[in-house]
Amino acid sequence: KKYNVAIVGATGKVGETFLKVLEEKNFPVDKLYPMASKKSAGINIKFQGKDWTVEELSESSFDKDIDIALFSAGGSISLKYAPIAREKGVIVIDNSSAWRMDKDVPLVVPEVNPEDIKKHNGIIANPNCSTIQAVVALKPLHDRFKIKRIVYSTYQAVSGSGVKGIRDLEEGLKGNKNEFYPHQIAFNCIPHIDVFLENGYTKEEMKMVEETKKIMNDDSLRITATAVRVPVISGHSESINVEFEKPYEISEVFSIMDSAEGIVLVDDVANNKYPLAVDAADTDPVYVGRLRRDESVESGLNMWVVADNIRKGAATNTVQIAELLVKYDLI
Ligand SMILES: O=C(O)CCc1cccc(C(=O)O)c1C(=O)O
């Protein structure tokens, strides 16, 4: 069976990676409907050996035979158009934060909570990039040792902000002034991703806290986060400190990580081997390393987790969700 697939935000960084990953995975697409804003309408897109024309997104865009719509066009577009698509019988997989915490919307990482997809009511949410790579690494350890507390510190690539963030870094490295970020990103770290909230955290940090609990289905988890933008083009790196309910042996953590789905263990410090953003770029795994006991608590562990924020952090995870819909015969 082949499916008619709409791509909302087809000309953005994540949108164009949707197309790349759909082709790589040979997803069975019959008709493609690339959609974007007025300024991109008419652009020709080559996909699976054919030419497709970008149409301007409108309220009538889903009045045709579309099976799945992959959205990555910002939260306001998702808020307005996902319900319109759903009403027309389209299954929406949304990359924005707009629907993630809605109780009727499953928030899915296929390696972590695939079964949740069966509860969808027409909209499925793709989690935040930093949350996805974290829960892939944490889930196997939570199942075995029961996590009680998580401390996230992230080092996030500028591609997470799209072309504007990349340009700020590239221009900044040439000594030109920034336009997008609140401060110079070149030769700098900016502890400010998305907007600040009443509690002094940023929205990015609270997404990690709230989305982790929903995906792991455990509101008892105690979590804090600090999200930092760093002068890296591609790949988010994260220092994750976890405290378990149960005692553990470090040798068992190594073997669990080495065999867990979606994880590549890179941990051989005697030979300077640990996960690096430049190695993760344009690949799909979540890379885990620097595993070591946190001696300051009863049963604690430190790790370093790296992944491509546009692929596993967004586009690949979304296409994997589409593959789950097919696998579970939900479409
Ligand atoms: O609303 C928007 O314009 C998009 C803001 C954004 C930019 C970069 C990553 C994310 C994300 O959470 O995945 C988000 C978000 O959906 O909140």
Side-chain angles (χ1 to χ4, degrees), residues 14 72-78 94-100 126-132 156 159-162 180 193-194 203-204 207 211 229 236 313-314:
V14 175
S72 190
S76 46
I77 294 290
S78 294
D94 178 34
N95 242 283
S96 83
S97 60
W99 297 97
R100 289 182 187 144
N126 195 63
N128 171 266
C129 41
S130 305
T131 309
I132 290 174
Q156 302 186 214
S159 56
S161 312
F180 179 69
I193 298 179
D194 212 323
K203 200 173 157 195
E204 183 78 359
K207 287 173 196 173
E211 293 177 27
R229 192 71 72 186
H236 287 351

PDB file of all heavy atoms in Angstrom, residues 14 72-78 94-100 126-132 156 159-162 180 193-194 203-204 207 211 229 236 313-314, ligand 1:
ATOM      1  N   VAL A  14      13.948  21.380   8.738  1.00  0.00           N
ATOM      2  CA  VAL A  14      13.376  20.083   9.120  1.00  0.00           C
ATOM      3  C   VAL A  14      12.552  19.524   7.950  1.00  0.00           C
ATOM      4  O   VAL A  14      12.635  18.337   7.639  1.00  0.00           O
ATOM      5  CB  VAL A  14      12.522  20.214  10.408  1.00  0.00           C
ATOM      6  CG1 VAL A  14      11.831  18.894  10.734  1.00  0.00           C
ATOM      7  CG2 VAL A  14      13.391  20.649  11.585  1.00  0.00           C
ATOM      8  N   SER A  72       6.242  20.896  10.264  1.00  0.00           N
ATOM      9  CA  SER A  72       7.346  21.575  10.940  1.00  0.00           C
ATOM     10  C   SER A  72       7.405  22.995  10.398  1.00  0.00           C
ATOM     11  O   SER A  72       8.230  23.333   9.545  1.00  0.00           O
ATOM     12  CB  SER A  72       8.697  20.870  10.730  1.00  0.00           C
ATOM     13  OG  SER A  72       9.655  21.468  11.599  1.00  0.00           O
ATOM     14  N   ALA A  73       6.454  23.801  10.891  1.00  0.00           N
ATOM     15  CA  ALA A  73       6.327  25.176  10.381  1.00  0.00           C
ATOM     16  C   ALA A  73       6.060  26.144  11.521  1.00  0.00           C
ATOM     17  O   ALA A  73       5.478  27.198  11.339  1.00  0.00           O
ATOM     18  CB  ALA A  73       5.196  25.229   9.365  1.00  0.00           C
ATOM     19  N   GLY A  74       6.425  25.757  12.725  1.00  0.00           N
ATOM     20  CA  GLY A  74       6.212  26.635  13.873  1.00  0.00           C
ATOM     21  C   GLY A  74       4.889  26.353  14.584  1.00  0.00           C
ATOM     22  O   GLY A  74       3.940  25.825  13.983  1.00  0.00           O
ATOM     23  N   GLY A  75       4.864  26.740  15.832  1.00  0.00           N
ATOM     24  CA  GLY A  75       3.724  26.414  16.690  1.00  0.00           C
ATOM     25  C   GLY A  75       2.413  27.041  16.253  1.00  0.00           C
ATOM     26  O   GLY A  75       1.368  26.380  16.286  1.00  0.00           O
ATOM     27  N   SER A  76       2.459  28.274  15.749  1.00  0.00           N
ATOM     28  CA  SER A  76       1.174  28.926  15.407  1.00  0.00           C
ATOM     29  C   SER A  76       0.539  28.256  14.187  1.00  0.00           C
ATOM     30  O   SER A  76      -0.678  28.081  14.120  1.00  0.00           O
ATOM     31  CB  SER A  76       1.404  30.420  15.144  1.00  0.00           C
ATOM     32  OG  SER A  76       2.516  30.590  14.314  1.00  0.00           O
ATOM     33  N   ILE A  77       1.374  27.821  13.231  1.00  0.00           N
ATOM     34  CA  ILE A  77       0.840  27.114  12.049  1.00  0.00           C
ATOM     35  C   ILE A  77       0.219  25.791  12.496  1.00  0.00           C
ATOM     36  O   ILE A  77      -0.873  25.401  12.069  1.00  0.00           O
ATOM     37  CB  ILE A  77       1.954  26.871  11.011  1.00  0.00           C
ATOM     38  CG1 ILE A  77       2.455  28.194  10.425  1.00  0.00           C
ATOM     39  CG2 ILE A  77       1.500  25.908   9.908  1.00  0.00           C
ATOM     40  CD1 ILE A  77       1.488  28.904   9.513  1.00  0.00           C
ATOM     41  N   SER A  78       0.913  25.093  13.414  1.00  0.00           N
ATOM     42  CA  SER A  78       0.384  23.796  13.887  1.00  0.00           C
ATOM     43  C   SER A  78      -0.930  23.983  14.630  1.00  0.00           C
ATOM     44  O   SER A  78      -1.877  23.223  14.446  1.00  0.00           O
ATOM     45  CB  SER A  78       1.410  23.123  14.805  1.00  0.00           C
ATOM     46  OG  SER A  78       2.566  22.781  14.066  1.00  0.00           O
ATOM     47  N   ASP A  94       3.103  16.255  14.365  1.00  0.00           N
ATOM     48  CA  ASP A  94       3.500  17.655  14.508  1.00  0.00           C
ATOM     49  C   ASP A  94       4.821  17.812  15.244  1.00  0.00           C
ATOM     50  O   ASP A  94       4.992  17.295  16.348  1.00  0.00           O
ATOM     51  CB  ASP A  94       2.392  18.414  15.264  1.00  0.00           C
ATOM     52  CG  ASP A  94       2.768  19.866  15.482  1.00  0.00           C
ATOM     53  OD1 ASP A  94       3.452  20.440  14.607  1.00  0.00           O
ATOM     54  OD2 ASP A  94       2.435  20.413  16.546  1.00  0.00           O
ATOM     55  N   ASN A  95       5.736  18.587  14.638  1.00  0.00           N
ATOM     56  CA  ASN A  95       7.060  18.788  15.209  1.00  0.00           C
ATOM     57  C   ASN A  95       7.136  19.951  16.173  1.00  0.00           C
ATOM     58  O   ASN A  95       8.175  20.182  16.784  1.00  0.00           O
ATOM     59  CB  ASN A  95       8.053  19.068  14.075  1.00  0.00           C
ATOM     60  CG  ASN A  95       9.113  18.016  14.024  1.00  0.00           C
ATOM     61  OD1 ASN A  95      10.028  18.021  14.818  1.00  0.00           O
ATOM     62  ND2 ASN A  95       8.962  17.084  13.115  1.00  0.00           N
ATOM     63  N   SER A  96       6.075  20.726  16.298  1.00  0.00           N
ATOM     64  CA  SER A  96       6.166  21.912  17.172  1.00  0.00           C
ATOM     65  C   SER A  96       5.778  21.532  18.596  1.00  0.00           C
ATOM     66  O   SER A  96       5.346  20.421  18.868  1.00  0.00           O
ATOM     67  CB  SER A  96       5.221  23.003  16.661  1.00  0.00           C
ATOM     68  OG  SER A  96       3.903  22.736  17.150  1.00  0.00           O
ATOM     69  N   SER A  97       5.911  22.508  19.502  1.00  0.00           N
ATOM     70  CA  SER A  97       5.561  22.249  20.913  1.00  0.00           C
ATOM     71  C   SER A  97       4.073  22.462  21.163  1.00  0.00           C
ATOM     72  O   SER A  97       3.582  22.204  22.260  1.00  0.00           O
ATOM     73  CB  SER A  97       6.370  23.181  21.820  1.00  0.00           C
ATOM     74  OG  SER A  97       6.059  24.526  21.500  1.00  0.00           O
ATOM     75  N   ALA A  98       3.343  22.895  20.124  1.00  0.00           N
ATOM     76  CA  ALA A  98       1.948  23.331  20.307  1.00  0.00           C
ATOM     77  C   ALA A  98       1.035  22.295  20.949  1.00  0.00           C
ATOM     78  O   ALA A  98       0.199  22.622  21.784  1.00  0.00           O
ATOM     79  CB  ALA A  98       1.383  23.752  18.951  1.00  0.00           C
ATOM     80  N   TRP A  99       1.161  21.028  20.571  1.00  0.00           N
ATOM     81  CA  TRP A  99       0.206  19.991  20.991  1.00  0.00           C
ATOM     82  C   TRP A  99       0.809  18.978  21.955  1.00  0.00           C
ATOM     83  O   TRP A  99       0.100  18.090  22.433  1.00  0.00           O
ATOM     84  CB  TRP A  99      -0.322  19.254  19.748  1.00  0.00           C
ATOM     85  CG  TRP A  99      -1.091  20.130  18.824  1.00  0.00           C
ATOM     86  CD1 TRP A  99      -0.643  20.758  17.701  1.00  0.00           C
ATOM     87  CD2 TRP A  99      -2.461  20.516  18.981  1.00  0.00           C
ATOM     88  NE1 TRP A  99      -1.641  21.518  17.147  1.00  0.00           N
ATOM     89  CE2 TRP A  99      -2.765  21.394  17.904  1.00  0.00           C
ATOM     90  CE3 TRP A  99      -3.453  20.214  19.912  1.00  0.00           C
ATOM     91  CZ2 TRP A  99      -4.018  21.953  17.742  1.00  0.00           C
ATOM     92  CZ3 TRP A  99      -4.711  20.781  19.745  1.00  0.00           C
ATOM     93  CH2 TRP A  99      -4.980  21.649  18.664  1.00  0.00           C
ATOM     94  N   ARG A 100       2.100  19.101  22.292  1.00  0.00           N
ATOM     95  CA  ARG A 100       2.798  18.034  23.013  1.00  0.00           C
ATOM     96  C   ARG A 100       2.188  17.695  24.373  1.00  0.00           C
ATOM     97  O   ARG A 100       2.140  16.535  24.752  1.00  0.00           O
ATOM     98  CB  ARG A 100       4.261  18.421  23.223  1.00  0.00           C
ATOM     99  CG  ARG A 100       5.063  18.396  21.947  1.00  0.00           C
ATOM    100  CD  ARG A 100       6.507  18.740  22.196  1.00  0.00           C
ATOM    101  NE  ARG A 100       7.223  18.882  20.934  1.00  0.00           N
ATOM    102  CZ  ARG A 100       8.177  19.763  20.738  1.00  0.00           C
ATOM    103  NH1 ARG A 100       8.581  20.555  21.714  1.00  0.00           N
ATOM    104  NH2 ARG A 100       8.764  19.857  19.568  1.00  0.00           N
ATOM    105  N   ASN A 126       5.627  15.132  17.953  1.00  0.00           N
ATOM    106  CA  ASN A 126       7.038  14.772  17.977  1.00  0.00           C
ATOM    107  C   ASN A 126       7.693  15.588  19.086  1.00  0.00           C
ATOM    108  O   ASN A 126       7.517  16.804  19.129  1.00  0.00           O
ATOM    109  CB  ASN A 126       7.680  15.118  16.625  1.00  0.00           C
ATOM    110  CG  ASN A 126       9.024  14.459  16.441  1.00  0.00           C
ATOM    111  OD1 ASN A 126       9.124  13.234  16.399  1.00  0.00           O
ATOM    112  ND2 ASN A 126      10.075  15.264  16.350  1.00  0.00           N
ATOM    113  N   PRO A 127       8.422  14.976  20.012  1.00  0.00           N
ATOM    114  CA  PRO A 127       8.985  15.737  21.132  1.00  0.00           C
ATOM    115  C   PRO A 127      10.083  16.709  20.705  1.00  0.00           C
ATOM    116  O   PRO A 127      10.556  16.679  19.570  1.00  0.00           O
ATOM    117  CB  PRO A 127       9.571  14.640  22.037  1.00  0.00           C
ATOM    118  CG  PRO A 127       8.895  13.377  21.618  1.00  0.00           C
ATOM    119  CD  PRO A 127       8.658  13.536  20.142  1.00  0.00           C
ATOM    120  N   ASN A 128      10.461  17.567  21.620  1.00  0.00           N
ATOM    121  CA  ASN A 128      11.560  18.513  21.433  1.00  0.00           C
ATOM    122  C   ASN A 128      12.859  17.736  21.200  1.00  0.00           C
ATOM    123  O   ASN A 128      13.048  16.668  21.802  1.00  0.00           O
ATOM    124  CB  ASN A 128      11.659  19.378  22.698  1.00  0.00           C
ATOM    125  CG  ASN A 128      12.893  20.250  22.709  1.00  0.00           C
ATOM    126  OD1 ASN A 128      13.915  19.854  23.267  1.00  0.00           O
ATOM    127  ND2 ASN A 128      12.807  21.404  22.081  1.00  0.00           N
ATOM    128  N   CYS A 129      13.708  18.244  20.339  1.00  0.00           N
ATOM    129  CA  CYS A 129      14.960  17.573  19.942  1.00  0.00           C
ATOM    130  C   CYS A 129      15.795  17.138  21.145  1.00  0.00           C
ATOM    131  O   CYS A 129      16.254  15.994  21.216  1.00  0.00           O
ATOM    132  CB  CYS A 129      15.786  18.486  19.036  1.00  0.00           C
ATOM    133  SG  CYS A 129      15.809  20.203  19.557  1.00  0.00           S
ATOM    134  N   SER A 130      15.968  18.017  22.120  1.00  0.00           N
ATOM    135  CA  SER A 130      16.824  17.688  23.276  1.00  0.00           C
ATOM    136  C   SER A 130      16.215  16.607  24.147  1.00  0.00           C
ATOM    137  O   SER A 130      16.911  15.775  24.727  1.00  0.00           O
ATOM    138  CB  SER A 130      17.067  18.953  24.120  1.00  0.00           C
ATOM    139  OG  SER A 130      17.593  19.967  23.309  1.00  0.00           O
ATOM    140  N   THR A 131      14.875  16.583  24.192  1.00  0.00           N
ATOM    141  CA  THR A 131      14.186  15.559  24.985  1.00  0.00           C
ATOM    142  C   THR A 131      14.313  14.186  24.322  1.00  0.00           C
ATOM    143  O   THR A 131      14.536  13.174  24.989  1.00  0.00           O
ATOM    144  CB  THR A 131      12.697  15.917  25.133  1.00  0.00           C
ATOM    145  OG1 THR A 131      12.578  17.264  25.590  1.00  0.00           O
ATOM    146  CG2 THR A 131      11.992  14.966  26.081  1.00  0.00           C
ATOM    147  N   ILE A 132      14.176  14.149  22.993  1.00  0.00           N
ATOM    148  CA  ILE A 132      14.221  12.860  22.270  1.00  0.00           C
ATOM    149  C   ILE A 132      15.519  12.120  22.569  1.00  0.00           C
ATOM    150  O   ILE A 132      15.503  10.972  23.013  1.00  0.00           O
ATOM    151  CB  ILE A 132      14.088  13.080  20.749  1.00  0.00           C
ATOM    152  CG1 ILE A 132      12.667  13.549  20.399  1.00  0.00           C
ATOM    153  CG2 ILE A 132      14.421  11.790  19.982  1.00  0.00           C
ATOM    154  CD1 ILE A 132      12.480  13.938  18.931  1.00  0.00           C
ATOM    155  N   GLN A 156      23.576  23.052  22.827  1.00  0.00           N
ATOM    156  CA  GLN A 156      22.742  22.862  21.644  1.00  0.00           C
ATOM    157  C   GLN A 156      23.232  23.621  20.411  1.00  0.00           C
ATOM    158  O   GLN A 156      23.596  24.791  20.486  1.00  0.00           O
ATOM    159  CB  GLN A 156      21.286  23.235  21.961  1.00  0.00           C
ATOM    160  CG  GLN A 156      20.738  22.418  23.119  1.00  0.00           C
ATOM    161  CD  GLN A 156      19.250  22.620  23.419  1.00  0.00           C
ATOM    162  OE1 GLN A 156      18.847  22.570  24.551  1.00  0.00           O
ATOM    163  NE2 GLN A 156      18.424  22.817  22.399  1.00  0.00           N
ATOM    164  N   SER A 159      21.741  25.027  14.526  1.00  0.00           N
ATOM    165  CA  SER A 159      20.785  24.591  13.490  1.00  0.00           C
ATOM    166  C   SER A 159      19.399  24.360  14.104  1.00  0.00           C
ATOM    167  O   SER A 159      18.391  24.357  13.401  1.00  0.00           O
ATOM    168  CB  SER A 159      21.256  23.305  12.807  1.00  0.00           C
ATOM    169  OG  SER A 159      21.474  22.296  13.791  1.00  0.00           O
ATOM    170  N   GLY A 160      19.357  24.233  15.423  1.00  0.00           N
ATOM    171  CA  GLY A 160      18.058  24.102  16.105  1.00  0.00           C
ATOM    172  C   GLY A 160      17.201  25.354  15.932  1.00  0.00           C
ATOM    173  O   GLY A 160      15.976  25.307  16.083  1.00  0.00           O
ATOM    174  N   SER A 161      17.866  26.469  15.564  1.00  0.00           N
ATOM    175  CA  SER A 161      17.104  27.718  15.332  1.00  0.00           C
ATOM    176  C   SER A 161      16.858  27.915  13.831  1.00  0.00           C
ATOM    177  O   SER A 161      16.383  28.962  13.423  1.00  0.00           O
ATOM    178  CB  SER A 161      17.912  28.922  15.839  1.00  0.00           C
ATOM    179  OG  SER A 161      18.400  28.680  17.122  1.00  0.00           O
ATOM    180  N   GLY A 162      17.261  26.941  13.023  1.00  0.00           N
ATOM    181  CA  GLY A 162      17.069  27.088  11.567  1.00  0.00           C
ATOM    182  C   GLY A 162      18.177  27.934  10.940  1.00  0.00           C
ATOM    183  O   GLY A 162      19.208  28.203  11.559  1.00  0.00           O
ATOM    184  N   PHE A 180      20.054  37.457  15.096  1.00  0.00           N
ATOM    185  CA  PHE A 180      18.973  36.580  15.578  1.00  0.00           C
ATOM    186  C   PHE A 180      19.052  36.361  17.088  1.00  0.00           C
ATOM    187  O   PHE A 180      18.101  36.606  17.810  1.00  0.00           O
ATOM    188  CB  PHE A 180      19.039  35.243  14.821  1.00  0.00           C
ATOM    189  CG  PHE A 180      17.989  34.262  15.243  1.00  0.00           C
ATOM    190  CD1 PHE A 180      16.649  34.488  14.953  1.00  0.00           C
ATOM    191  CD2 PHE A 180      18.341  33.131  15.961  1.00  0.00           C
ATOM    192  CE1 PHE A 180      15.674  33.584  15.354  1.00  0.00           C
ATOM    193  CE2 PHE A 180      17.366  32.224  16.368  1.00  0.00           C
ATOM    194  CZ  PHE A 180      16.041  32.455  16.057  1.00  0.00           C
ATOM    195  N   ILE A 193      17.521  29.592  25.579  1.00  0.00           N
ATOM    196  CA  ILE A 193      16.947  28.984  24.358  1.00  0.00           C
ATOM    197  C   ILE A 193      15.425  29.040  24.478  1.00  0.00           C
ATOM    198  O   ILE A 193      14.857  28.581  25.470  1.00  0.00           O
ATOM    199  CB  ILE A 193      17.413  27.524  24.174  1.00  0.00           C
ATOM    200  CG1 ILE A 193      18.946  27.479  24.017  1.00  0.00           C
ATOM    201  CG2 ILE A 193      16.712  26.881  22.978  1.00  0.00           C
ATOM    202  CD1 ILE A 193      19.514  26.081  23.842  1.00  0.00           C
ATOM    203  N   ASP A 194      14.799  29.670  23.465  1.00  0.00           N
ATOM    204  CA  ASP A 194      13.371  29.977  23.491  1.00  0.00           C
ATOM    205  C   ASP A 194      13.165  31.099  24.512  1.00  0.00           C
ATOM    206  O   ASP A 194      14.098  31.853  24.782  1.00  0.00           O
ATOM    207  CB  ASP A 194      12.561  28.705  23.824  1.00  0.00           C
ATOM    208  CG  ASP A 194      11.196  28.722  23.145  1.00  0.00           C
ATOM    209  OD1 ASP A 194      10.601  29.824  23.064  1.00  0.00           O
ATOM    210  OD2 ASP A 194      10.728  27.672  22.690  1.00  0.00           O
ATOM    211  N   LYS A 203      11.663  28.196  28.177  1.00  0.00           N
ATOM    212  CA  LYS A 203      10.664  27.239  27.665  1.00  0.00           C
ATOM    213  C   LYS A 203      11.358  25.947  27.234  1.00  0.00           C
ATOM    214  O   LYS A 203      10.853  24.847  27.465  1.00  0.00           O
ATOM    215  CB  LYS A 203       9.941  27.875  26.475  1.00  0.00           C
ATOM    216  CG  LYS A 203       8.594  27.259  26.145  1.00  0.00           C
ATOM    217  CD  LYS A 203       7.883  28.085  25.066  1.00  0.00           C
ATOM    218  CE  LYS A 203       6.844  27.252  24.315  1.00  0.00           C
ATOM    219  NZ  LYS A 203       6.405  27.902  23.052  1.00  0.00           N
ATOM    220  N   GLU A 204      12.561  26.071  26.679  1.00  0.00           N
ATOM    221  CA  GLU A 204      13.304  24.874  26.243  1.00  0.00           C
ATOM    222  C   GLU A 204      13.577  23.975  27.452  1.00  0.00           C
ATOM    223  O   GLU A 204      13.432  22.752  27.365  1.00  0.00           O
ATOM    224  CB  GLU A 204      14.632  25.291  25.581  1.00  0.00           C
ATOM    225  CG  GLU A 204      15.458  24.143  25.010  1.00  0.00           C
ATOM    226  CD  GLU A 204      14.930  23.646  23.665  1.00  0.00           C
ATOM    227  OE1 GLU A 204      13.922  24.164  23.166  1.00  0.00           O
ATOM    228  OE2 GLU A 204      15.549  22.707  23.129  1.00  0.00           O
ATOM    229  N   LYS A 207      10.350  22.363  28.599  1.00  0.00           N
ATOM    230  CA  LYS A 207       9.928  21.295  27.662  1.00  0.00           C
ATOM    231  C   LYS A 207      10.621  19.998  28.055  1.00  0.00           C
ATOM    232  O   LYS A 207       9.997  18.930  28.126  1.00  0.00           O
ATOM    233  CB  LYS A 207      10.356  21.634  26.232  1.00  0.00           C
ATOM    234  CG  LYS A 207       9.598  22.724  25.534  1.00  0.00           C
ATOM    235  CD  LYS A 207      10.306  23.001  24.205  1.00  0.00           C
ATOM    236  CE  LYS A 207       9.912  24.295  23.562  1.00  0.00           C
ATOM    237  NZ  LYS A 207      10.765  24.579  22.373  1.00  0.00           N
ATOM    238  N   GLU A 211       8.190  17.113  29.097  1.00  0.00           N
ATOM    239  CA  GLU A 211       8.061  16.083  28.048  1.00  0.00           C
ATOM    240  C   GLU A 211       8.670  14.756  28.510  1.00  0.00           C
ATOM    241  O   GLU A 211       8.145  13.683  28.191  1.00  0.00           O
ATOM    242  CB  GLU A 211       8.711  16.558  26.750  1.00  0.00           C
ATOM    243  CG  GLU A 211       7.993  17.737  26.096  1.00  0.00           C
ATOM    244  CD  GLU A 211       8.714  18.234  24.850  1.00  0.00           C
ATOM    245  OE1 GLU A 211       9.414  17.428  24.214  1.00  0.00           O
ATOM    246  OE2 GLU A 211       8.580  19.412  24.503  1.00  0.00           O
ATOM    247  N   ARG A 229      22.869  27.457  24.296  1.00  0.00           N
ATOM    248  CA  ARG A 229      23.204  27.480  22.871  1.00  0.00           C
ATOM    249  C   ARG A 229      24.711  27.623  22.753  1.00  0.00           C
ATOM    250  O   ARG A 229      25.324  28.497  23.383  1.00  0.00           O
ATOM    251  CB  ARG A 229      22.511  28.661  22.173  1.00  0.00           C
ATOM    252  CG  ARG A 229      22.573  28.606  20.671  1.00  0.00           C
ATOM    253  CD  ARG A 229      21.717  27.524  20.071  1.00  0.00           C
ATOM    254  NE  ARG A 229      20.270  27.823  20.168  1.00  0.00           N
ATOM    255  CZ  ARG A 229      19.324  26.963  19.815  1.00  0.00           C
ATOM    256  NH1 ARG A 229      19.663  25.752  19.384  1.00  0.00           N
ATOM    257  NH2 ARG A 229      18.051  27.276  19.911  1.00  0.00           N
ATOM    258  N   HIS A 236      23.305  18.188  18.988  1.00  0.00           N
ATOM    259  CA  HIS A 236      23.152  18.610  20.390  1.00  0.00           C
ATOM    260  C   HIS A 236      23.933  17.644  21.276  1.00  0.00           C
ATOM    261  O   HIS A 236      23.883  16.421  21.072  1.00  0.00           O
ATOM    262  CB  HIS A 236      21.683  18.553  20.825  1.00  0.00           C
ATOM    263  CG  HIS A 236      20.806  19.637  20.250  1.00  0.00           C
ATOM    264  ND1 HIS A 236      21.273  20.716  19.537  1.00  0.00           N
ATOM    265  CD2 HIS A 236      19.457  19.770  20.290  1.00  0.00           C
ATOM    266  CE1 HIS A 236      20.262  21.474  19.160  1.00  0.00           C
ATOM    267  NE2 HIS A 236      19.139  20.936  19.604  1.00  0.00           N
ATOM    268  N   GLY A 313      16.609  14.215  16.243  1.00  0.00           N
ATOM    269  CA  GLY A 313      15.927  15.224  17.061  1.00  0.00           C
ATOM    270  C   GLY A 313      14.627  15.726  16.467  1.00  0.00           C
ATOM    271  O   GLY A 313      13.822  16.351  17.140  1.00  0.00           O
ATOM    272  N   ALA A 314      14.393  15.455  15.178  1.00  0.00           N
ATOM    273  CA  ALA A 314      13.159  15.969  14.568  1.00  0.00           C
ATOM    274  C   ALA A 314      12.687  15.089  13.413  1.00  0.00           C
ATOM    275  O   ALA A 314      11.761  14.294  13.548  1.00  0.00           O
ATOM    276  CB  ALA A 314      13.378  17.404  14.078  1.00  0.00           C
TER     277      ALA A 314
HETATM  278  O1  LIG B   1       6.812  28.026  17.464  1.00  0.00           O
HETATM  279  C1  LIG B   1       7.764  28.109  16.680  1.00  0.00           C
HETATM  280  O2  LIG B   1       7.938  29.004  15.835  1.00  0.00           O
HETATM  281  C2  LIG B   1       8.825  27.019  16.740  1.00  0.00           C
HETATM  282  C3  LIG B   1       9.654  27.228  18.016  1.00  0.00           C
HETATM  283  C4  LIG B   1      10.601  26.057  18.148  1.00  0.00           C
HETATM  284  C5  LIG B   1      11.883  26.158  17.609  1.00  0.00           C
HETATM  285  C6  LIG B   1      12.768  25.113  17.737  1.00  0.00           C
HETATM  286  C7  LIG B   1      12.392  23.940  18.376  1.00  0.00           C
HETATM  287  C8  LIG B   1      11.114  23.825  18.907  1.00  0.00           C
HETATM  288  C9  LIG B   1      10.700  22.557  19.560  1.00  0.00           C
HETATM  289  O3  LIG B   1      10.233  22.596  20.702  1.00  0.00           O
HETATM  290  O4  LIG B   1      10.804  21.499  18.906  1.00  0.00           O
HETATM  291  C10 LIG B   1      10.220  24.874  18.790  1.00  0.00           C
HETATM  292  C11 LIG B   1       8.847  24.706  19.316  1.00  0.00           C
HETATM  293  O5  LIG B   1       8.056  23.984  18.650  1.00  0.00           O
HETATM  294  O6  LIG B   1       8.562  25.243  20.396  1.00  0.00           O
END
